[in-house]
Amino acid sequence: MKLRAQCDAILVGAETVRQDDPALTLRGPDIPEGKQQPWRVVLTRGVMQVLIEGGGTVLAAAFSERLVDEIVFYTAPLISGSGRPVVDSAAWDGGSVALQFLSAEMIGADLKLRVRTEP
């Protein structure tokens, strides 16, 4: 329970849910006051694709862990000197990810670019 109390989410597979029917909740006297219950995340129904719409820090973590297979970029015909980077360099492990071009499509004035990461 102490380990669960340090986390924001608990991830289990569908078979764990079927076999054990776990509550996946915080219980007992050692739970910090005001600590919210962790999100319960169950990987089931043949989950093969997950869409990450995170910011630069979340994307950097996903790339660093080599969890990204395909990237879809949408770009507008606009250059701005403000905003955040697509991938946060502070969270990046410093490696590179090779990309393979898949497709490009104009959507109005915007460009949709699809690339695949190479293993």
Side-chain angles (χ1 to χ4, degrees):
M1 288 300 150
K2 289 180 182 178
L3 182 58
R4 282 185 180 177
Q6 297 172 20
C7 299
D8 298 313
I10 301 171
L11 182 134
V12 295
E15 194 60 28
T16 296
V17 172
R18 284 191 281 276
Q19 296 295 322
D20 300 337
D21 191 24
L24 304 175
T25 59
L26 303 176
R27 308 180 289 286
D30 296 329
I31 306 306
E33 181 72 27
K35 172 67 177 167
Q36 293 186 4
Q37 290 291 334
W39 288 28
R40 293 171 290 269
V41 180
V42 180
L43 296 179
T44 185
R45 290 169 195 80
V47 173
M48 297 300 293
Q49 295 183 353
V50 175
L51 176 64
I52 301 173
E53 282 193 31
T57 302
V58 171
L59 292 175
F63 280 114
S64 292
E65 294 297 323
R66 305 300 191 249
L67 299 174
V68 178
D69 296 319
E70 186 175 318
I71 307 157
V72 179
F73 290 106
Y74 291 90
T75 62
L78 175 70
I79 295 176
S80 174
S82 63
R84 295 181 167 222
V86 172
V87 177
D88 184 357
S89 61
W92 184 254
D93 71 356
S96 296
V97 176
L99 303 176
Q100 175 188 13
F101 174 80
L102 295 176
S103 67
E105 175 185 356
M106 294 301 297
I107 302 174
D110 298 339
L111 173 66
K112 174 185 176 184
L113 179 66
R114 285 184 55 232
V115 296
R116 178 171 300 146
T117 59
E118 294 184 357

